[in-house]
Amino acid sequence: MNSAQTAKSVLIDLNSTLLDSFNSQSDIRAIVSERCQHVDALLQKEWVFHGLQQFAIALVAVGGYGRGELHPQSDVDLLFLTDGELTAQAEQALGKFITFIWDAGLEVGHSVRSIDETMAQGRSDITVATNLLESRLLCGPQALYSTLYYNIRQDEFWPSSDFYVAKRDEQITRHARANAFDLEPNLKSCPGGLRDIQTIAWVAMRHFNANKLEDLVVYDFLEPHELDELLECQDFLWQLRCSLHLISGRDENRLLFDLQRQVADLMGYEDQTQLAVEQMMKRYYRTVRRVMELNQMLLQLFKRATLGHIKALEVVPIDEQFQRCGKFIESLQPALFDSPENILKLFLCVAKNSNVKAIYAVTLRSLRQARRAQTQALMFNEQCRKIFMEILRHPRGIVALSLMHKHGILSAYLPAWRNIEGQMQFDLFHAYTVDEHTHRLLLNIERFSQPEQKEEFPLGSVLINQLPKKGLLVLAAIFHDIGKGRGGDHSKLGAVDALEFCKLHGLNDHDGRLVSWLVEHHLVMSVTAQRRDISDPDVIGDFAAKVRDAVHLSYLYCLTVADICATNEKTWNSWKGSLLRDLYFGTQRVLARGKEKPVDIRGRVREHQAKAKKELLRRGIKEKDLDLLWQRFKADYFLRHQPNQIAWHAEAIIKHKHDETLVLISKHTTRGGTELFIYGKDKPKLFATVMAILDNKNINVHDATIMNSKDNYALDSFVILEQDGMPVSQLSRIQGIKKTLIKALSSDTPKLPKFRNLSRKMKPFKVATQVSFPPTRRHGTSMMELIALDAPGLLARIGEVLFRCEVRLLAAKITTIGERAEDFFLLQTTDGEQLNETQQKKLRIALTSAL
């Protein structure tokens, strides 16, 4: 075994030993330092072995390695500093040395430059300049490195003001590419990550010529407790990064779903009320929020306190306690926040002054100290309660609440809020922590009032201004998910908390009950719209009974839309918007008519037929042909389709002269989606075949209405969307889907195509298949609810099982919640009857086995 292989073996053994012993109690600073020292010793030994000490070359560690930090799979960044052009002999020796490093298994980033070349590169590239500031000599002439060290610390190399601006702009660009609360965050580059800690150090070190974070306390740039907080945050992020490197075996800085559970296990977390991975991620999200606040405060302090030439901010008095400096609010009294009510007064001023966007750094430092000094929640202070209610009732109250959340004052006020800070759910549906989701929900409520949002939220923009008290909606939003992470039904837990809060804050019984009701029922409208057949009068009637009156309905609609939009960026689409609007207006009609007046089913059928016929006759369709066609259709068809759909279907069927199956794809959206209509002789596995084709085309199915004519022709209608939630509209896309479906359905026994593989993101998730049969009031039918992993080909497999079990599918509502499919199916036996217990059991076993 040669020396490179030996070195590689030693490094592998070091990682293996570390993997066996690593946990959250490990001394992470010692680990990264010792690994760095090991690599130092290896390189210094091989430098001599390769005879490089005889040449005028300095081996310089730069970047993270230059700081003396080296994680198990981190790059080793090196600068080979020369005093001029290298001789052929020196180049040969250097080449062999670099080959050795690679063969030893180290990932190397290296450059060979003279001092002049290094200085020129550093002046033109802020990243190179930053790496040089953290450099240290490993081997070679001290004088050569000392010359470089002296030159890079001269003001003309990178004046501290220019350096600050460059690093600030670099951070702004980096933050724009990632969200602090990503489900798979990058520990280095996400807001609040390691780069934000390093940026604080870099700009201050450049100004003070300091060597490490600890030196900044000496220069009065950092308070000792702030240094402790930064180092505590850094240690935790380092532990996560070290774990990632050990588990993945590569320089991986992203907390990927398929690694998160393993990292949590290695860190020593165990499943309790919350999963181990959720506990770990909760601490991560809380940590990055702390880093973000410190980063904002310290960079602003550095800008204002040390860069004296910065233009003075406009100062505008607010009252005797506060003033506005530019976009910042500043306190005028050093000990102002010793009185807790003044903390709330700060945010009331934010609500009242639209030009205030942030808190001045010196004031933020005082606010942070006051926040830590609180011995009880601010809501138990009577004066604080009065001011909080003023904020809540103010038109810009949500702006103030948003800033309160950002700086930890909402959790200082409301103890239950602290419990959901950083609380994540290990799934693909909830893109944000519970607190961040709720924060975004509040911002969505604020958006409803903005004129530019009328196009996206036409109904919400109207209703938000008609609510008797907008503040009650805001309170319901704050409490809607506050019970998560405790175990039990979070809606019921939150409803209890909300009612107690309302009583403590002096709200009357009616308002308190309304807020509590909204919290308890905040999911009812979305569940009804997306998972029930809202063309069924009984479904609308049941929902209307729960809502009780138009005021509750309007509040619930606004809360529901804001909630869905805040779950993740891909959740809201025109399909869901259309469903919720239809449910809103359908319920409004029931409430206005009164529940004692049932819907006239026959009247609705006749109305739909009459409107469709009028349009078809206008288009030149003969009434005789139309009557012959409609005689074959059951009344349910006309009840469950709108007149424009009925006319579209009928015209196409009458003009269709071929034996092959008719496949129609709408040019215009239906409830925000694209309608796919299939007409032809019914055949085995028709539903399964259609689902398999659409799945392979990467099309999402959201709604299915499966019907047969009296002479056993399929009249199947589906609402389909692209993966991004948009309707299927591209002509070539539509033609491709139609062609593939017609070909597949031309066979009497179509063969299902091969399904796509499960994606990387889906692999870590296990969803147990659950099949249940909720009661239904629709005669001769059974309702089936199915929960399963949303794997490729799921609906096709379900269709095949239904065929094997001799069960007919009448309708389906397809809902994907991250990695989970939560689908509802309306079924009946081939004899047109409800499934009995034996048939239900058989179907449940077959589905569980197949999925």
Side-chain angles (χ1 to χ4, degrees), residues 531-589:
R531 305 187 205 177
R532 299 289 188 272
D533 179 9
I534 59 174
S535 66
D536 184 341
D538 288 339
V539 171
I540 301 292
D542 289 345
F543 178 69
K546 291 177 184 175
V547 173
R548 299 199 296 269
D549 59 51
V551 172
H552 281 70
L553 177 62
S554 294
Y555 273 108
L556 186 59
Y557 175 85
C558 291
L559 182 61
T560 301
V561 174
D563 189 15
I564 293 173
C565 292
T567 302
N568 67 55
E569 293 179 357
K570 298 178 182 178
T571 300
W572 182 253
N573 53 42
S574 53
W575 159 249
K576 290 179 181 175
S578 178
L579 286 177
L580 287 166
R581 282 195 301 274
D582 286 354
L583 177 57
Y584 176 87
F585 288 119
T587 307
Q588 191 181 54
R589 285 192 292 271

Side-chain angles (χ1 to χ4, degrees), residues 3 45-55 93 96-97 100:
S3 60
K45 175 186 172 185
E46 292 299 323
W47 187 264
V48 175
F49 178 80
H50 286 82
L52 285 162
Q53 74 277 12
Q54 61 184 303
F55 304 111
K96 290 181 178 179
F97 177 75
F100 164 83

Side-chain angles (χ1 to χ4, degrees), residues 575 670 673-676 700-704 717-721:
W575 159 249
T670 300
T674 298
E675 183 182 351
L676 165 66
N700 284 336
V701 179
H702 286 265
D703 194 90
S717 184
F718 307 89
V719 175
I720 60 176
L721 295 170

Side-chain angles (χ1 to χ4, degrees), residues 692-706:
I693 297 298
L694 295 177
D695 184 78
N696 269 16
K697 293 285 186 181
N698 222 19
I699 292 288
N700 284 336
V701 179
H702 286 265
D703 194 90
T705 302
I706 311 300

Side-chain angles (χ1 to χ4, degrees), residues 159-171 203 307 310:
S160 61
S161 57
D162 294 348
F163 188 81
Y164 162 79
V165 171
K167 298 310 288 186
R168 180 203 63 192
D169 292 348
E170 185 181 72
Q171 177 172 289
V203 297
L307 306 186
I310 294 292

